[in-house]
Amino acid sequence: YQLWIGQELASLEQYVLEGDIIDFVHTETRPGFTHRGLASTLVKDALDDVRARNLKVRPYCQFVSEYIAEHPDYL
């Protein structure tokens, strides 16, 4: 999962898909893009895609785990 801002990339590219379970391992944004909500947008879009594909999530990534805790509709 990628989010491009001009030439800069925010990504949730470290994940493992096994059957109907996706393990999100790491979310990353470049230092100049912190505190702009980009990681939240990226994770929301990824979780919406996961939901549309009827997959289950194991949020090993701390950011994804915290996002789900703050947005319980993704539980």
Coordinates of all heavy atoms in Angstrom, one line a residue:
Y1 N 0.8 -1.2 0.0 CA 0.0 0.0 0.0 C 0.9 1.2 0.0 O 1.8 1.3 0.8 CB -0.9 0.0 1.2 CG -1.9 -1.2 1.2 CD1 -1.5 -2.4 1.9 CD2 -3.1 -1.1 0.6 CE1 -2.4 -3.5 1.9 CE2 -3.9 -2.2 0.6 CZ -3.6 -3.4 1.2 OH -4.4 -4.4 1.2
Q2 N 0.6 2.2 -0.9 CA 1.5 3.3 -1.1 C 0.6 4.6 -1.2 O -0.5 4.6 -1.7 CB 2.3 3.2 -2.3 CG 3.3 2.0 -2.3 CD 4.1 1.9 -3.6 OE1 3.6 2.4 -4.6 NE2 5.2 1.2 -3.5
L3 N 1.2 5.7 -0.7 CA 0.6 7.0 -0.8 C 1.7 8.0 -1.3 O 2.7 8.2 -0.6 CB 0.0 7.5 0.5 CG -0.5 8.9 0.6 CD1 -1.7 9.0 -0.3 CD2 -0.9 9.2 2.1
W4 N 1.6 8.5 -2.5 CA 2.6 9.4 -3.0 C 2.2 10.8 -2.8 O 1.0 11.2 -3.0 CB 2.7 9.2 -4.5 CG 3.5 7.9 -4.9 CD1 2.9 6.7 -5.1 CD2 4.9 7.7 -4.9 NE1 3.9 5.8 -5.3 CE2 5.1 6.4 -5.2 CE3 6.0 8.6 -4.8 CZ2 6.4 5.9 -5.4 CZ3 7.2 8.1 -5.0 CH2 7.4 6.7 -5.3
I5 N 3.1 11.7 -2.3 CA 2.9 13.1 -2.2 C 4.0 13.7 -3.0 O 5.2 13.8 -2.6 CB 3.1 13.5 -0.7 CG1 2.1 12.7 0.2 CG2 2.9 15.0 -0.5 CD1 0.6 12.9 -0.1
G6 N 3.7 14.1 -4.2 CA 4.7 14.6 -5.1 C 5.7 13.5 -5.4 O 5.2 12.4 -5.9
Q7 N 6.9 13.6 -5.1 CA 7.9 12.6 -5.4 C 8.2 11.8 -4.1 O 9.0 10.9 -4.1 CB 9.2 13.2 -5.9 CG 9.1 14.0 -7.2 CD 8.8 13.0 -8.3 OE1 9.3 11.9 -8.4 NE2 7.9 13.5 -9.2
E8 N 7.5 12.1 -3.0 CA 7.8 11.4 -1.7 C 6.7 10.3 -1.5 O 5.6 10.4 -2.0 CB 7.7 12.4 -0.6 CG 8.8 13.4 -0.6 CD 10.2 12.9 -0.5 OE1 10.4 11.9 0.2 OE2 11.1 13.4 -1.1
L9 N 7.2 9.2 -0.8 CA 6.3 8.1 -0.7 C 6.1 7.8 0.8 O 7.0 7.8 1.6 CB 7.0 6.8 -1.3 CG 6.4 5.5 -1.1 CD1 5.1 5.4 -1.8 CD2 7.3 4.4 -1.7
A10 N 4.9 7.5 1.2 CA 4.5 6.9 2.4 C 4.0 5.5 2.1 O 3.4 5.3 1.1 CB 3.4 7.7 3.1
S11 N 4.4 4.5 2.9 CA 4.1 3.1 2.5 C 3.8 2.3 3.7 O 4.3 2.4 4.8 CB 5.2 2.5 1.7 OG 6.4 2.4 2.5
L12 N 2.9 1.3 3.4 CA 2.7 0.2 4.3 C 3.0 -1.0 3.5 O 2.1 -1.7 3.0 CB 1.2 0.2 4.8 CG 0.8 -0.5 6.1 CD1 -0.6 -0.1 6.5 CD2 1.1 -1.9 6.1
E13 N 4.3 -1.2 3.2 CA 4.6 -2.2 2.3 C 5.2 -3.5 2.9 O 5.4 -4.5 2.3 CB 5.6 -1.7 1.3 CG 6.9 -1.2 1.9 CD 7.8 -0.5 0.8 OE1 7.2 0.2 0.0 OE2 9.0 -0.7 0.9
Q14 N 5.4 -3.4 4.2 CA 5.8 -4.6 4.9 C 4.6 -5.4 5.5 O 4.1 -5.0 6.6 CB 6.8 -4.3 6.0 CG 8.1 -3.8 5.4 CD 9.2 -3.6 6.5 OE1 9.1 -4.1 7.6 NE2 10.2 -2.8 6.1
Y15 N 4.1 -6.3 4.7 CA 3.0 -7.1 5.2 C 3.1 -8.5 4.6 O 3.8 -8.7 3.6 CB 1.6 -6.4 4.8 CG 1.4 -6.4 3.3 CD1 0.8 -7.4 2.6 CD2 1.8 -5.2 2.6 CE1 0.6 -7.3 1.2 CE2 1.6 -5.1 1.2 CZ 0.9 -6.2 0.5 OH 0.7 -6.1 -0.8
V16 N 2.4 -9.4 5.2 CA 2.4 -10.8 4.8 C 1.0 -11.2 4.6 O 0.2 -11.1 5.5 CB 3.1 -11.7 5.8 CG1 3.0 -13.2 5.4 CG2 4.6 -11.3 6.0
L17 N 0.6 -11.7 3.5 CA -0.7 -12.2 3.2 C -0.7 -13.8 3.2 O 0.1 -14.4 2.4 CB -1.3 -11.7 1.9 CG -2.6 -12.2 1.4 CD1 -3.7 -11.8 2.5 CD2 -3.0 -11.6 0.1
E18 N -1.4 -14.4 4.1 CA -1.4 -15.8 4.2 C -2.9 -16.2 4.3 O -3.5 -16.0 5.4 CB -0.6 -16.2 5.4 CG -0.4 -17.7 5.5 CD 0.6 -18.1 6.6 OE1 1.6 -17.4 6.8 OE2 0.3 -19.0 7.4
G19 N -3.4 -16.8 3.3 CA -4.8 -17.2 3.3 C -5.7 -16.0 3.4 O -5.6 -15.1 2.6
D20 N -6.6 -15.9 4.4 CA -7.4 -14.8 4.5 C -7.0 -13.9 5.7 O -7.8 -13.1 6.2 CB -8.9 -15.2 4.8 CG -9.1 -16.0 6.1 OD1 -8.1 -16.4 6.7 OD2 -10.2 -16.1 6.5
I21 N -5.7 -14.0 6.0 CA -5.1 -13.1 7.1 C -4.0 -12.3 6.5 O -3.1 -12.9 5.9 CB -4.7 -14.0 8.3 CG1 -5.8 -14.7 8.9 CG2 -4.0 -13.1 9.3 CD1 -5.4 -15.7 9.9
I22 N -4.0 -11.0 6.8 CA -2.9 -10.2 6.4 C -2.2 -9.6 7.7 O -2.9 -9.1 8.6 CB -3.4 -9.0 5.5 CG1 -2.2 -8.3 4.9 CG2 -4.3 -8.1 6.2 CD1 -2.5 -7.4 3.7
D23 N -0.9 -9.8 7.8 CA -0.1 -9.3 8.9 C 0.5 -8.0 8.4 O 1.4 -8.0 7.5 CB 1.0 -10.3 9.2 CG 0.5 -11.6 9.6 OD1 -0.6 -11.8 10.1 OD2 1.3 -12.6 9.5
F24 N 0.1 -6.9 9.1 CA 0.8 -5.6 8.8 C 1.9 -5.5 9.7 O 1.8 -5.5 10.9 CB -0.2 -4.4 9.0 CG -1.2 -4.3 7.9 CD1 -2.6 -4.3 8.1 CD2 -0.8 -4.2 6.6 CE1 -3.5 -4.2 7.1 CE2 -1.7 -4.0 5.5 CZ -3.0 -4.1 5.8
V25 N 3.1 -5.3 9.2 CA 4.4 -5.3 9.9 C 4.9 -3.9 10.2 O 5.4 -3.6 11.2 CB 5.4 -6.2 9.2 CG1 6.7 -6.3 10.0 CG2 4.9 -7.6 9.0
H26 N 4.9 -3.0 9.1 CA 5.5 -1.7 9.3 C 4.9 -0.7 8.4 O 4.7 -0.9 7.2 CB 7.0 -1.9 9.0 CG 7.8 -0.6 9.2 ND1 8.0 0.0 10.4 CD2 8.4 0.2 8.3 CE1 8.7 1.1 10.3 NE2 9.0 1.2 9.0
T27 N 4.6 0.5 9.0 CA 4.2 1.7 8.2 C 5.3 2.7 8.3 O 5.9 2.9 9.3 CB 2.9 2.2 8.9 OG1 1.9 1.2 9.0 CG2 2.4 3.4 8.1
E28 N 5.5 3.4 7.2 CA 6.6 4.3 7.1 C 6.3 5.6 6.3 O 5.7 5.5 5.3 CB 7.9 3.7 6.5 CG 9.1 4.6 6.5 CD 10.3 3.9 6.0 OE1 10.4 2.7 6.0 OE2 11.2 4.6 5.5
T29 N 6.6 6.7 6.9 CA 6.5 8.0 6.2 C 7.9 8.7 6.3 O 8.6 8.5 7.3 CB 5.4 8.9 6.7 OG1 5.6 9.2 8.1 CG2 4.0 8.4 6.5
R30 N 8.2 9.5 5.4 CA 9.5 10.2 5.4 C 9.5 11.2 6.5 O 8.4 11.8 6.9 CB 9.8 10.9 4.1 CG 9.7 10.0 2.9 CD 11.1 9.6 2.5 NE 11.0 8.8 1.3 CZ 11.8 7.8 1.1 NH1 12.8 7.6 1.9 NH2 11.7 7.1 0.0
P31 N 10.6 11.5 7.2 CA 10.6 12.5 8.3 C 9.9 13.8 8.0 O 9.2 14.3 8.9 CB 12.1 12.6 8.5 CG 12.7 11.4 8.1 CD 11.9 11.0 6.9
G32 N 10.0 14.4 6.9 CA 9.4 15.6 6.6 C 7.9 15.6 6.5 O 7.2 16.6 6.3
F33 N 7.3 14.4 6.5 CA 5.9 14.2 6.3 C 5.2 13.8 7.6 O 4.0 13.4 7.5 CB 5.6 13.2 5.2 CG 5.9 13.8 3.8 CD1 7.2 13.6 3.3 CD2 5.0 14.6 3.2 CE1 7.5 14.1 2.0 CE2 5.3 15.1 1.9 CZ 6.6 14.9 1.4
T34 N 5.9 13.8 8.7 CA 5.2 13.4 10.0 C 4.2 14.5 10.4 O 4.3 15.6 10.0 CB 6.3 13.2 11.1 OG1 7.0 14.4 11.2 CG2 7.2 12.0 10.7
H35 N 3.2 14.0 11.2 CA 2.2 14.9 11.8 C 1.3 15.6 10.8 O 0.9 16.7 11.0 CB 2.9 15.9 12.8 CG 3.7 15.3 13.8 ND1 3.2 14.5 14.8 CD2 5.1 15.3 14.0 CE1 4.2 14.0 15.5 NE2 5.4 14.5 15.1
R36 N 1.1 15.0 9.6 CA 0.3 15.5 8.6 C -0.9 14.6 8.3 O -1.7 14.8 7.4 CB 1.1 15.8 7.3 CG 2.0 16.9 7.5 CD 2.9 17.2 6.3 NE 2.2 17.3 5.0 CZ 2.8 17.4 3.9 NH1 4.1 17.4 3.8 NH2 2.1 17.5 2.8
G37 N -1.0 13.5 9.0 CA -2.1 12.6 8.9 C -1.9 11.6 7.7 O -2.8 10.9 7.4
L38 N -0.7 11.6 7.1 CA -0.5 10.7 5.9 C -0.5 9.3 6.3 O -1.1 8.4 5.6 CB 0.7 11.1 5.2 CG 0.8 12.5 4.7 CD1 2.2 12.8 4.1 CD2 -0.3 12.8 3.7
A39 N 0.1 8.9 7.4 CA 0.1 7.5 7.8 C -1.3 7.0 8.2 O -1.7 5.9 7.9 CB 1.1 7.3 9.0
S40 N -2.1 7.9 8.8 CA -3.4 7.5 9.1 C -4.3 7.3 7.9 O -5.0 6.4 7.8 CB -4.1 8.7 10.0 OG -3.5 8.7 11.2
T41 N -4.1 8.2 6.9 CA -4.8 8.0 5.6 C -4.4 6.7 4.9 O -5.2 5.9 4.5 CB -4.5 9.2 4.7 OG1 -4.9 10.4 5.3 CG2 -5.1 9.0 3.3
L42 N -3.1 6.4 5.0 CA -2.6 5.2 4.4 C -3.2 4.0 5.1 O -3.7 3.0 4.4 CB -1.1 5.2 4.5 CG -0.3 4.0 3.9 CD1 -0.5 3.9 2.4 CD2 1.2 4.1 4.2
V43 N -3.2 3.9 6.4 CA -3.7 2.8 7.1 C -5.2 2.7 7.0 O -5.7 1.6 6.8 CB -3.3 2.9 8.6 CG1 -4.0 1.9 9.5 CG2 -1.8 2.8 8.8
K44 N -5.9 3.8 7.0 CA -7.4 3.7 6.8 C -7.7 3.1 5.4 O -8.5 2.2 5.3 CB -8.0 5.1 6.8 CG -9.5 5.1 6.6 CD -10.0 6.5 6.4 CE -11.5 6.5 6.1 NZ -11.9 5.6 5.0
D45 N -7.0 3.6 4.4 CA -7.2 3.0 3.0 C -6.9 1.5 3.0 O -7.6 0.7 2.3 CB -6.4 3.8 2.0 CG -7.0 5.2 1.7 OD1 -8.1 5.5 2.2 OD2 -6.3 6.0 1.1
A46 N -5.8 1.1 3.6 CA -5.4 -0.3 3.6 C -6.4 -1.1 4.4 O -6.8 -2.2 3.9 CB -4.0 -0.5 4.3
L47 N -6.9 -0.6 5.5 CA -7.9 -1.4 6.2 C -9.3 -1.4 5.5 O -10.0 -2.4 5.5 CB -8.1 -0.7 7.6 CG -7.0 -0.9 8.6 CD1 -7.2 -0.1 9.9 CD2 -6.7 -2.4 8.9
D48 N -9.6 -0.4 4.8 CA -10.8 -0.4 3.9 C -10.7 -1.5 2.8 O -11.6 -2.2 2.5 CB -11.1 1.0 3.3 CG -11.6 2.0 4.3 OD1 -12.0 1.6 5.4 OD2 -11.6 3.2 4.0
D49 N -9.5 -1.6 2.2 CA -9.2 -2.6 1.2 C -9.3 -4.0 1.8 O -9.9 -4.9 1.2 CB -7.8 -2.4 0.6 CG -7.5 -3.4 -0.5 OD1 -8.3 -3.5 -1.4 OD2 -6.5 -4.1 -0.3
V50 N -8.7 -4.2 3.0 CA -8.8 -5.5 3.7 C -10.2 -5.8 4.0 O -10.6 -7.0 3.7 CB -8.0 -5.4 5.0 CG1 -8.3 -6.6 5.9 CG2 -6.5 -5.3 4.7
R51 N -11.0 -4.9 4.4 CA -12.4 -5.1 4.7 C -13.2 -5.5 3.4 O -14.0 -6.5 3.4 CB -13.1 -3.9 5.4 CG -14.5 -4.1 5.7 CD -15.1 -2.8 6.2 NE -14.8 -2.7 7.6 CZ -14.8 -1.6 8.3 NH1 -15.2 -0.5 7.8 NH2 -14.5 -1.6 9.6
A52 N -12.9 -4.8 2.3 CA -13.6 -5.1 1.1 C -13.3 -6.5 0.5 O -14.1 -7.1 -0.1 CB -13.3 -4.0 0.0
R53 N -12.0 -7.0 0.9 CA -11.6 -8.3 0.4 C -11.9 -9.4 1.4 O -11.5 -10.5 1.3 CB -10.1 -8.2 0.1 CG -9.8 -7.3 -1.0 CD -8.3 -7.0 -1.1 NE -7.5 -8.2 -1.3 CZ -6.2 -8.2 -1.1 NH1 -5.5 -7.1 -0.8 NH2 -5.5 -9.3 -1.3
N54 N -12.6 -9.0 2.5 CA -13.0 -10.0 3.5 C -11.8 -10.7 4.2 O -11.9 -11.9 4.4 CB -14.0 -11.0 3.0 CG -15.4 -10.4 2.6 OD1 -15.9 -9.6 3.4 ND2 -15.9 -10.7 1.5
L55 N -10.8 -9.9 4.4 CA -9.6 -10.5 5.1 C -9.6 -10.1 6.6 O -10.3 -9.2 7.0 CB -8.3 -9.9 4.4 CG -8.1 -10.2 3.0 CD1 -6.9 -9.5 2.4 CD2 -8.0 -11.7 2.7
K56 N -8.8 -10.8 7.3 CA -8.6 -10.5 8.7 C -7.2 -9.9 8.9 O -6.3 -10.2 8.1 CB -8.7 -11.8 9.6 CG -10.1 -12.4 9.5 CD -10.1 -13.7 10.3 CE -11.4 -14.4 10.1 NZ -11.4 -15.5 9.3
V57 N -7.0 -9.1 9.9 CA -5.8 -8.3 10.1 C -5.1 -8.8 11.4 O -5.8 -8.9 12.5 CB -6.0 -6.8 10.2 CG1 -4.8 -6.1 10.6 CG2 -6.6 -6.3 8.9
R58 N -3.8 -9.0 11.3 CA -3.0 -9.1 12.5 C -2.1 -7.8 12.5 O -1.1 -7.7 11.7 CB -2.1 -10.4 12.5 CG -2.9 -11.6 12.9 CD -2.1 -12.8 13.2 NE -1.5 -13.3 11.9 CZ -1.6 -14.6 11.6 NH1 -2.2 -15.5 12.3 NH2 -1.1 -15.0 10.4
P59 N -2.3 -6.9 13.4 CA -1.6 -5.6 13.3 C -0.3 -5.6 14.1 O -0.2 -5.1 15.2 CB -2.6 -4.6 13.9 CG -3.4 -5.4 14.9 CD -3.5 -6.8 14.3
Y60 N 0.7 -6.3 13.6 CA 2.0 -6.3 14.3 C 2.6 -4.9 14.3 O 3.4 -4.5 15.2 CB 3.0 -7.2 13.6 CG 2.6 -8.7 13.8 CD1 2.1 -9.4 12.7 CD2 2.6 -9.3 15.0 CE1 1.8 -10.8 12.8 CE2 2.2 -10.6 15.2 CZ 1.8 -11.3 14.1 OH 1.4 -12.6 14.2
C61 N 2.3 -4.1 13.3 CA 2.8 -2.7 13.3 C 2.1 -1.9 14.4 O 0.9 -1.9 14.5 CB 2.5 -2.1 11.9 SG 2.8 -0.3 11.8
Q62 N 2.9 -1.2 15.2 CA 2.3 -0.5 16.4 C 1.4 0.6 15.9 O 0.3 0.8 16.5 CB 3.4 0.1 17.2 CG 2.9 0.9 18.4 CD 4.0 1.4 19.3 OE1 5.2 1.1 19.1 NE2 3.7 2.3 20.2
F63 N 1.7 1.3 14.8 CA 0.9 2.3 14.3 C -0.5 1.8 13.9 O -1.5 2.4 14.2 CB 1.5 3.1 13.1 CG 0.8 4.3 12.8 CD1 1.0 5.5 13.4 CD2 -0.2 4.3 11.8 CE1 0.3 6.7 13.1 CE2 -0.9 5.4 11.4 CZ -0.7 6.6 12.1
V64 N -0.5 0.7 13.2 CA -1.8 0.0 12.7 C -2.6 -0.4 13.9 O -3.8 -0.2 14.0 CB -1.5 -1.2 11.8 CG1 -2.8 -1.9 11.4 CG2 -0.8 -0.7 10.5
S65 N -1.9 -1.0 14.9 CA -2.6 -1.4 16.1 C -3.2 -0.3 16.9 O -4.4 -0.3 17.3 CB -1.6 -2.1 17.0 OG -2.2 -2.6 18.2
E66 N -2.5 0.8 17.0 CA -3.0 2.0 17.7 C -4.2 2.6 16.8 O -5.2 3.1 17.4 CB -1.9 3.1 17.9 CG -0.9 2.6 18.9 CD 0.3 3.5 19.1 OE1 0.4 4.5 18.3 OE2 1.2 3.2 19.9
Y67 N -4.1 2.6 15.5 CA -5.1 3.2 14.7 C -6.4 2.4 14.9 O -7.5 2.9 15.0 CB -4.7 3.1 13.2 CG -5.7 3.8 12.3 CD1 -5.6 5.2 12.0 CD2 -6.8 3.1 11.8 CE1 -6.6 5.8 11.2 CE2 -7.8 3.8 11.0 CZ -7.6 5.1 10.7 OH -8.6 5.7 9.9
I68 N -6.3 1.1 14.9 CA -7.5 0.2 15.1 C -8.1 0.5 16.5 O -9.3 0.5 16.6 CB -7.1 -1.3 14.9 CG1 -6.8 -1.5 13.4 CG2 -8.3 -2.2 15.4 CD1 -6.3 -2.9 13.1
A69 N -7.2 0.6 17.5 CA -7.7 0.9 18.9 C -8.5 2.2 18.9 O -9.5 2.3 19.6 CB -6.6 0.9 19.8
E70 N -8.0 3.2 18.1 CA -8.7 4.5 18.1 C -9.9 4.5 17.2 O -10.7 5.5 17.2 CB -7.7 5.6 17.7 CG -6.6 5.8 18.7 CD -5.5 6.8 18.2 OE1 -5.7 7.3 17.1 OE2 -4.5 6.9 18.9
H71 N -10.1 3.6 16.3 CA -11.2 3.5 15.4 C -11.8 2.1 15.5 O -11.6 1.2 14.6 CB -10.7 3.7 14.0 CG -10.1 5.1 13.8 ND1 -8.7 5.3 14.0 CD2 -10.6 6.3 13.4 CE1 -8.5 6.6 13.8 NE2 -9.6 7.2 13.4
P72 N -12.5 1.8 16.6 CA -13.0 0.5 16.8 C -13.9 -0.2 15.8 O -14.2 -1.3 15.8 CB -13.8 0.6 18.2 CG -14.0 2.1 18.3 CD -13.0 2.8 17.5
D73 N -14.4 0.6 14.8 CA -15.2 0.0 13.7 C -14.3 -0.9 12.8 O -14.9 -1.7 12.1 CB -15.8 1.1 12.9 CG -14.9 2.2 12.3 OD1 -14.1 2.8 13.2 OD2 -14.9 2.4 11.1
Y74 N -13.0 -0.8 13.0 CA -12.1 -1.8 12.3 C -11.8 -3.0 13.1 O -11.1 -3.9 12.6 CB -10.8 -1.1 11.9 CG -11.0 -0.1 10.8 CD1 -10.9 1.3 11.0 CD2 -11.3 -0.5 9.5 CE1 -11.1 2.2 10.0 CE2 -11.5 0.4 8.5 CZ -11.4 1.8 8.7 OH -11.6 2.7 7.7
L75 N -12.3 -3.2 14.3 CA -12.1 -4.4 15.1 C -12.7 -5.6 14.4 O -13.7 -5.5 13.8 CB -12.6 -4.2 16.5 CG -11.9 -3.3 17.4 CD1 -12.6 -3.1 18.7 CD2 -10.5 -3.8 17.6

